[in-house]
Amino acid sequence: NNFATWNPLFQSGGVYSDGNLLWLGSNNGGWSHTSSTIALPATGKWYFETTLVNNGRNASNDYYGAIGVVETDWPEETDEIPRTEGVLMTDGYIGWNFSNTDSYSGTQNKSAGDIWACAIDRDNNTFNFLLNNSSIWTGTIGTTAGANLSFACINQGGSYGGTLPTNF
């Protein structure tokens, strides 16, 4: 019975608490990120969920926070969301699937108290993002099946400072 937590050894800022299950993104004015301590195995079904404590995005910027999976060895960049290194959904209505262009554009803005989740099926190389237990974006992971992936949270800390209590 080993369970993942957020990994303070692979991050670009933020404060960890509650056994590293609660992450508060850095207020450094740029992007901050963290990833899970355990990479996703190459087979099986994997899931994590987080509660959005803050109000999510505002009308002037869609890119305040994102969750999903990233390549385990993605470079630690603090100035952008790693669009080409993962399948990620923002707390607004945009998602990327290993692409610099929008792979998803919906209408599901997230707000304080919402449960935001990411489910990965490694056997079929698929993903499912959920909002309050309702599926809002599904697809095939846009990288090689079996690639080394980890769960991740990314946020724009200067004005967002997202607090994300997580359940793996």
Side-chain angles (χ1 to χ4, degrees), residues 8-24:
L9 300 177
F10 188 83
Q11 52 92 16
S12 65
V15 177
Y16 298 81
S17 61
D18 292 339
N20 292 348
L21 291 175
L22 180 66
W23 178 61
L24 171 61

Side-chain angles (χ1 to χ4, degrees), residues 130-147:
L130 301 100
L131 180 62
N132 297 322
N133 210 29
S134 294
S135 179
I136 57 175
W137 182 33
T138 63
T140 300
I141 298 171
T143 189
T144 307

Side-chain angles (χ1 to χ4, degrees), residues 31 56-66 81 83 89-96 102 104-106 109-110 116 154 156 160:
W31 294 99
R57 73 164 196 98
N58 68 22
S60 66
N61 189 338
D62 291 335
Y63 311 124
Y64 279 141
I81 291 177
R83 296 172 183 92
M89 174 174 269
T90 70
D91 55 354
Y93 49 85
I94 293 178
W96 301 279
D102 297 352
Y104 169 80
S105 182
N109 289 326
K110 292 125 191 108
W116 190 16
I154 297 107
Q156 202 339 314
Y160 178 67

